[in-house]
Each structure stands twice: as C-alpha cells, then as structure tokens.
Amino acid sequence: MSEAARLLSAVPADRRVALVDPRFVGHVHALRLGLTDPRFPAATVPGALTAQPEARPALVRALDTTAEAVGAGVPTGRPDAPVIDRTVPGRIAVTMDAEGTAVQRPELGSLVAAVPVDDAAREAALSDRAAVDDEAVRLRSAVKAHDGFFTTFFISPYSRYIARWCARRGLTPNQVTTASLLTALIAAGSAATGTRGGYIAAGLLLLLSFVLDCTDGQLARYSLQYSTMGAWLDATFDRAKEYAYYAGLALGAARGGDDVWALALGAMVLQACRHVIDFSFNEANHDAVANSSPTAALSDRLDSVGWTVWLRRMIVLPIGERWAMIAVLTAVTTPRIVFYALLVGCSFAACYTTAGRLLRSLTRKAERTDRAARALADLADSGPLAETVAAVGPRLGGRWSPPVTALLAGALMIASALSQPFGSWHTILAAVVCAMFSGMAVSRPLKGALDWLVPPIFRAAEYCTVLILAARSDVQGALPAAFGLVSAVAYHHYDTVYRIRGGTGAPPQWLVRTIGGHEGRTLVVAVLAAVFTQHPAFTVALTTLAVAVALVVLVESIRFWVSSGAPAVHDEGEPA
C-alpha cells in the first residue's frame, strides 16, 4: 500500500493513473475496457483500478482508508458489500464506492481478468485466456447489441472491419462522422441535379454515408474513443444528413418542374415529431418506479420469440430501413414517390409506436419523479408568453388537463391556419389563445400518465403551422424558407434532448426566451403572414427568422459542446 501511495504521488495531478496487480492474468481488451474508457472518472476490473484526474483525490483517500483498515484487520468498504476482488486495487475500489465515488465495473463477458493466488489457478487462468479470441470479442462488442434488421444483417457484418481498419490507421470517430456528413451532403447535391444519373449516384452515396455512420460508432466502441465533440457530432449529424437529403430531392424535383417542397417539409415535420415522441416518452419514464404495465409485460414475452423482435424493429422504420428505402426509391423512381413512401411509412410507424406507448402509460402503475417532470418541461420549450401565463394564470385541475389543454391549443392553431384566409388576423388571435392554453398546460409539474404527450403536441402545432401558412401563401420561395426555419428550430429541440440525456440539463433560459419559445415563434409567423399577405417579403421574413434562430442556437450549441461541461459520451442513437 505504501509503495502504491508513493508511485501515485509521483504522477502529475492532471494525469490518469492506474493500479494493476503484478499477478494479473487476462486479456488486453479486458484491461482496455477497465482502464481507458474516458466516460467514467473511476473504473475497475479484477486486479486493476484506474482514476481520472477528477477522481484522484478520492483514490488517495480510499488508499489511506484501505491501508488503515488492513492494518487494523477490519473489512474495507460497507459491511453489506462483500469483497470479491481481494487485491489491492479491488479493495481500494470497494472503499471508493463506500465513500461516495462511483466506480464503473464494465461487463467483460467471456474476457478473462483474474489474479491467481497459486500456480494451479494461474495455469487455469492462462488456459481460459487462450480459449477466447480477444480480437474477435473486441470486434463483436464494437457493434450495438440492439439495432435494426437492415443494420444488423446488411451493414454491421462488414462495417466493423472498416472500423478496425480506421483504428489501425489512427483515424478517429469524429473524422469518420465528418466523412459521413460530407458524403450525405454530396448525395444531396447529386439529387439536386434532377437527373436520373444524379438520383442513382445520390442513392448509392446515401447508403455509403449510412455505412460510415455505423462505422463511427463502432470505431468509438472498438477503440474506446468517446469525446464531448463526438457526442455533439453524432447526435446532430444524422438529422442534418437526412433533412439535407430531403432538400436535395426537392431541389432536384423542382428542376424537373415538380414542386415537392411541401412534401419534403411534411416528411421532416413527421420525422421530427416521431423523434420527440420517442424522447419525451423515454424521459418521462427514465427513472419511474413500479413499472407493472401489462403492455410492457406482453412486450417482454414477445421479445422471447425471435422473429417478432425483428418484425417490430422493422415496423417502426428505423434509420437503416428508412435510408435503404429512400436510397432505392431515389435511384429508380421520382422524389415525389420517395416522399409519398416516407409519409406513409413514417405515419404508420408513428401510429404503431404511439399507440403502444399510450397503452403502456394508461396501464402502468408508476410514480413519475421531479427529474422526469423537469425534463418534460424543458422539452416543452415554453417561451416568455407561456411562462407568464403559467406563472399568473389559472392552474387547471384534473388528471388529463395538461395533454388535453395542449391538444386543444395545437388543434385550434392548426385549424385556424387551415380554415382562415391566408393572412387573416383571426390566425393571430388563434396564436394568442394557443399561447395562453400552452401556458396553462405547463402550469403544474408534468407528472401525469399522459403528460409526456405535451412536448410532441407543441412540436406538431408549431411545425405544422409553419408548413400550412407557407404552403397557402402562394409566395415563391416561401416553402423552402419554411423548410429552413423548421430545420433551425428542430436543431434546437434535438440539442435540448441530447443535453438532457447527458445529464447537464436543458439549454439556458436566455436562449429559449431569445428565440421566443414554441408559442412565440408560432405567433411571429402568424403576424408575418398577416403583414406580408401574398407579398415576396414573406419569404424574406421567414428566411431572416430562420437565419436568426439558427445563428443564436448554433453559437450557443457549439459553445456548450466544446466546453468542459459537456458530457463525454458517444450517443448510441435511437432506432428511429
């Protein structure tokens, strides 16, 4: 123990340190998992312990405590926590846990990590190590355990080897992610040519972009290269690639005389709303207790039947299946057919997943936490108008009042945008009433069974209002400008989700207030429609609003994700 303390004191305080028992026998990848993963301040495997700079003080304290305990002949750690690893690193890890510092213990599976106490045990450990191919395990673990059918059977069998090739040449996941983005942008540019050759090239390049998209995550897991910048790039580039491709298809169709911008924007709105349904439901149930939903139990039973697992994964049209469909249809049909297929497929998937989540929510017995309520409030993206109403307005009672009030607000806004003459001041009045109802919907903590529906309803109301007003304006360029505006706002909403997932909370309130919140932006678009009725300035106004929102959101987002406060994780992504 004293030798370990002396060696630790000789290492600069800003460096990671590791303690490894000299008797250790095991696979190199077992040590790699335990000692090099940057996501955890402290981690251990049998016979080895590591601490990053932020956990170094806890390591030193635990070393002193353990030395005193061993000297006094008393157990280390908590009395109710048996010591399995009796090596010095193992005892220190138990003490660190007992003193409040979480120590990660990675799943090793078939990998060997042992500290034999005699020759017979050492021979057995060496035999076990020789029986398992370290590199094969490393390659398998580079692939996500739960992925879509297309990705699992048509991409991962060879993309993992691309990931290894990249690792051996010193390429980083961020570089592969950037290559995937550039490939998708070139695909979008090819689609924008509006030629059959361009469409075929676009489809092939989109598939190549997806292969690289799978490779970056596999490279991160293979080489344990997780970073804050990687989290930001991986979290946002998938959406940027897909929506840029939609724009490329719309531009290509326009070259051929077919205006499909409304379909492109509709597909983006539908996909973004699908994602926010996923995010909102997951955050609402992130740490819920007492899940006894019969629907969840049925889902668990179905998981035991292999073919139903793949069928249900394909039904939701995850990114692999969706991009494959887009690529093939782009190459052999027209952009209009691509968007029709997207709208039909994604609508069915949205209905399927939402129905299942509604059933789970209605039948489960769970108490939602303050953290879940806070996450839903952040996802609601309420601006100054809704906040003011929530603070001083009436607080509605009733179990279903938040989702019902939000639904009334959204339905009123969409119905007004559809039924009133374009530019009517009644649409502005509807936006004001919508803002009031939106404030009432979030005036109390969102802990009800269906309160997770509030953010998706707000997203659908805002995005659909922009889509409808731009489509009905009959102003040239209004729909592409609306596409840009929804893209900027959607980026803000995705950014909010990934910050919450990283445990750092939502974007700062000044940002939400500066860009108006969902109700404020809806009101601004309604006012612009009334002021610039059938006037080219409507397009200019939408474009200006889109640029302003994008600049504010991107600057703050980049500042956050490159800062030390950003979570050092590599997002595993959602199936959709």
Side-chain angles (χ1 to χ4, degrees):
M1 293 270 184
S2 59
E3 178 65 10
R6 185 187 66 79
L7 293 173
L8 283 175
S9 63
V11 180
D14 61 344
R15 302 285 297 277
R16 174 198 285 268
V17 295
L19 296 175
V20 181
D21 193 295
R23 299 168 297 169
F24 177 87
V25 174
H27 289 102
V28 173
H29 192 52
L31 281 178
R32 187 183 291 113
L33 289 171
L35 303 182
T36 66
D37 195 324
R39 296 173 296 177
F40 309 108
T44 186
V45 294
L49 170 69
T50 185
Q52 296 205 62
E54 60 268 32
R56 289 275 300 274
L59 173 62
V60 173
R61 289 194 303 271
L63 180 60
D64 294 339
T65 303
T66 303
E68 293 175 3
V70 171
V74 298
T76 57
R78 297 189 304 269
D80 59 339
V83 179
I84 299 175
D85 181 5
R86 296 188 175 276
T87 64
V88 170
R91 292 176 181 273
I92 296 174
V94 170
T95 303
M96 291 177 70
D97 273 327
E99 293 180 348
T101 300
V103 180
Q104 174 70 10
R105 291 169 173 81
E107 291 289 337
L108 298 181
S110 59
L111 294 175
V112 174
V115 180
V117 295
D118 54 38
D119 290 341
R122 182 175 180 80
E123 288 300 321
L126 289 171
S127 175
D128 291 341
R129 185 180 68 180
V132 176
D133 186 339
D134 179 89
E135 181 62 19
V137 172
R138 189 181 180 189
L139 272 174
R140 285 198 304 270
S141 63
V143 179
K144 281 196 294 188
H146 304 287
D147 219 331
F149 179 86
F150 180 78
T151 304
T152 299
F153 293 103
F154 293 92
I155 304 296
S156 293
Y158 57 88
S159 62
R160 69 184 76 182
Y161 295 101
I162 301 175
R164 181 172 67 180
W165 184 89
C166 293
R168 290 178 175 176
R169 282 153 184 81
L171 296 176
T172 67
N174 293 352
Q175 291 170 330
V176 178
T177 302
T178 303
S180 175
L181 174 67
L182 293 175
T183 304
L185 294 179
I186 296 172
S190 298
T193 63
T195 64
R196 179 52 52 194
Y199 289 146
I200 293 173
L204 293 174
L205 288 169
L206 186 65
L207 288 177
L208 175 59
S209 175
F210 182 66
V211 171
L212 293 174
D213 181 59
C214 295
T215 301
D216 68 354
Q218 292 167 359
L219 175 58
R221 288 182 286 273
Y222 181 85
S223 57
L224 299 178
Q225 296 184 72
Y226 304 99
S227 68
T228 56
M229 181 63 74
W232 176 58
L233 295 178
D234 191 65
T236 57
F237 278 12
D238 278 354
R239 313 312 168 204
K241 288 181 288 191
E242 185 166 357
Y243 300 154
Y245 192 83
Y246 292 176
L249 286 175
L251 288 169
R255 285 180 176 270
D258 189 12
D259 186 355
V260 297
W261 274 107
L263 295 176
L265 181 50
M268 181 169 68
V269 167
L270 178 57
Q271 193 59 30
C273 288
R274 281 187 65 198
H275 286 141
V276 78
I277 289 172
D278 294 341
F279 299 146
S280 188
F281 178 81
N282 290 336
E283 289 303 322
N285 298 284
H286 180 269
D287 45 9
V289 296
N291 178 15
S292 56
S293 165
T295 309
L298 174 61
S299 179
D300 292 340
R301 286 197 296 271
L302 287 174
D303 284 343
S304 64
V305 183
W307 66 268
T308 67
V309 175
W310 295 117
L311 178 63
R312 287 185 294 146
R313 289 185 190 177
M314 288 188 289
I315 284 176
V316 300
L317 205 62
I319 187 171
E321 279 77 353
R322 190 170 66 251
W323 281 27
M325 180 187 74
I326 293 172
V328 172
L329 291 179
T330 299
V332 301
T333 65
T334 65
R336 181 172 290 273
I337 294 177
V338 173
F339 287 125
Y340 282 156
L342 268 174
L343 289 169
V344 172
C346 290
S347 294
F348 178 80
C351 291
Y352 170 79
T353 55
T354 304
R357 285 164 182 170
L358 285 171
L359 288 173
R360 287 192 182 204
S361 300
L362 291 172
T363 57
R364 75 182 298 157
K365 297 177 181 179
E367 182 178 337
R368 295 220 163 87
T369 63
D370 292 336
R371 182 231 180 250
R374 180 68 259 170
L376 291 179
D378 290 334
L379 289 174
D381 192 32
S382 300
L385 295 177
E387 286 182 339
T388 301
V389 174
V392 303
R395 298 201 171 193
L396 301 178
R399 184 181 178 186
W400 313 111
S401 60
V404 169
T405 306
L407 184 60
L408 288 174
L412 173 65
M413 191 65 242
I414 293 174
S416 176
L418 282 170
S419 62
Q420 296 299 313
F422 177 78
S424 170
W425 292 93
H426 291 119
T427 305
I428 297 177
L429 178 61
V432 172
V433 175
C434 177
M436 296 174 61
F437 276 37
S438 298
M440 288 187 283
V442 296
S443 61
R444 71 180 196 187
L446 299 176
K447 292 186 175 182
L450 297 181
D451 286 0
W452 59 270
L453 286 170
V454 171
I457 291 171
F458 287 165
R459 294 298 79 74
E462 179 185 1
Y463 296 167
C464 288
T465 298
V466 175
L467 167 60
I468 293 167
L469 291 179
R472 296 188 64 201
S473 68
D474 290 328
V475 175
Q476 185 175 6
L479 277 167
F483 190 96
L485 175 58
V486 173
S487 298
V489 175
Y491 175 87
H492 163 61
H493 292 143
Y494 285 122
D495 186 53
T496 299
V497 166
Y498 289 111
R499 293 196 199 205
I500 293 173
R501 281 184 171 184
T504 58
Q509 276 298 307
W510 70 260
L511 174 66
V512 177
R513 291 174 181 142
T514 299
I515 60 176
H518 71 93
E519 80 289 351
R521 291 186 297 271
T522 303
L523 177 59
V524 168
V525 173
V527 170
L528 292 176
V531 172
F532 301 114
T533 303
Q534 294 183 338
H535 194 285
F538 183 58
T539 297
V540 176
L542 285 181
T543 303
T544 302
L545 180 60
V547 171
V549 171
L551 283 176
V552 174
V553 169
L554 280 171
V555 168
E556 162 55 23
S557 176
I558 293 171
R559 180 210 63 79
F560 170 78
W561 286 103
V562 300
S563 71
S564 59
V569 299
H570 185 89
D571 178 63
E572 293 294 320
E574 292 294 320

